[in-house]
Amino acid sequence: MKIFTTREELSDYLRQLQKHSKVIGFVPTMGALHEGHLALIRIASSQSDAVVCSIFVNPTQFNDPKDFEKYPKTIEEDIQKLESLKCDVLFLPEVKEMYPEKQLWHFNLGELEKVLEAKSRPGHYQGVTQIVKKLLDAVKPDQVYFGQKDFQQFLVIEKMVSTLHIPVKLIMCPIVRDKDGLALSSRNVRLSPEQREQALALSQSLALVKKQFNKKTINLLKSDAITFLEMNGIKPDYFEICNAKNLKAASSKNTSKLIALVAAYVGGTRLIDNMILK
Ligand code: AMP
């Protein structure tokens, strides 16, 4: 696996591949790689001639500086995992490489900037769009892979890519879960064994709503889910049932695609999860 730390070296290498019509698949990550990330790499490999993974903990998307400082870093293990999957290229820049100077950035996300993660983490998606634009400019992939785990992030990037006419295909990959249902997340390493048990309530609350979907109103489904989380000692940030196309809160079940999304604190760790309802 080739490892590049500058945009220029990365671009020079990839432009050679593109001259030979190689299809480039790209998987952006913040590292501390787990099976969820590796699934994206595997899917990308099966659909591309060359796979580029990036590892960059992007400071501009953290609204909480402590969360940024505490973000897990396991670069040696990450490199081994990527090599074992025969990932072709790792882009591993320093902060000063991506942000040589302070840069003003604002991208109009419309309603997506006002709900769920955007509401709870002001500025988060400005940081996400800022770094994803820079990464797409450097890699110029044919296709880029994201997890359904960050569902709102996918819609945000979809909006940016279509507004700016960036020529790349976006591919959403399913959520990878542990056997007991907990969605894999780099932040799970911060959970004590007891907190990990409690964290199961996130996926369980989603499964409960899916199971009871035909039997209860939207409002009742939501309030039951919140009660369920609280009973398990978890502090919900939100539990919403939304139109999966635009994340507007659903008031009825008539919408063609519905998704339930949850964010909650387990101790000091904020976790998110979601499930398509229909
Ligand atoms: P992150 O390193 O958390 O920024 O995640 C990098 C990519 O991996 C994003 O597209 C995430 O949605 C995706 N991802 C993270 N966790 C999972 C998971 N459990 N299943 C599938 N994709 C995931």
Side-chain angles (χ1 to χ4, degrees), residues 28 30 49 77 97-98 100 103 121 137 153 201 208 245:
M30 297 204 298
D49 296 316
E77 289 95 323
E97 172 64 19
M98 298 315 285
Q103 183 204 29
R121 306 181 64 188
D137 283 348
Q153 169 172 280
L208 198 68
K245 288 191 187 139

Side-chain angles (χ1 to χ4, degrees), residues 28-30 34 36-37 40 71 146-147 149-150 153 174-176 184:
T29 80
M30 297 204 298
H34 52 64
H37 298 114
L40 301 190
Y71 201 82
F146 295 98
K149 164 97 184 339
D150 297 275
Q153 169 172 280
I175 301 177
V176 177
L184 298 188

Side-chain angles (χ1 to χ4, degrees), residues 27-37 39-40 56 61 71 145-151 153 173-177 182-187:
V27 181
T29 80
M30 297 204 298
L33 301 181
H34 52 64
E35 273 302 318
H37 298 114
L40 301 190
F56 181 64
Q61 73 187 67
Y71 201 82
Y145 295 80
F146 295 98
Q148 182 197 318
K149 164 97 184 339
D150 297 275
F151 190 82
Q153 169 172 280
C173 304
I175 301 177
V176 177
R177 299 175 178 282
L182 181 68
L184 298 188
S185 162
S186 304
R187 289 188 171 88

Side-chain angles (χ1 to χ4, degrees), residues 1-4 6-7 9-11 13-15 17-18 22-29 33 37 40-45 47-55 82 85-93 135-136 138-146:
M1 180 171 71
K2 296 237 177 290
I3 302 181
F4 298 109
T6 69
R7 290 190 259 189
E9 286 169 313
L10 174 76
S11 293
Y13 180 76
L14 294 177
R15 292 310 79 84
L17 294 185
Q18 280 159 334
K22 300 282 184 211
V23 173
I24 296 187
F26 178 38
V27 181
T29 80
L33 301 181
H37 298 114
L40 301 190
I41 303 275
R42 285 192 195 97
I43 296 171
S45 289
Q47 301 177 351
S48 319
D49 296 316
V51 175
V52 181
C53 174
S54 64
I55 296 181
L82 291 172
L85 288 186
K86 303 204 173 7
C87 178
D88 300 277
V89 175
L90 169 61
F91 181 44
L92 189 61
L135 290 170
L136 291 178
V139 178
K140 296 200 190 319
D142 298 279
Q143 41 223 23
V144 57
Y145 295 80
F146 295 98

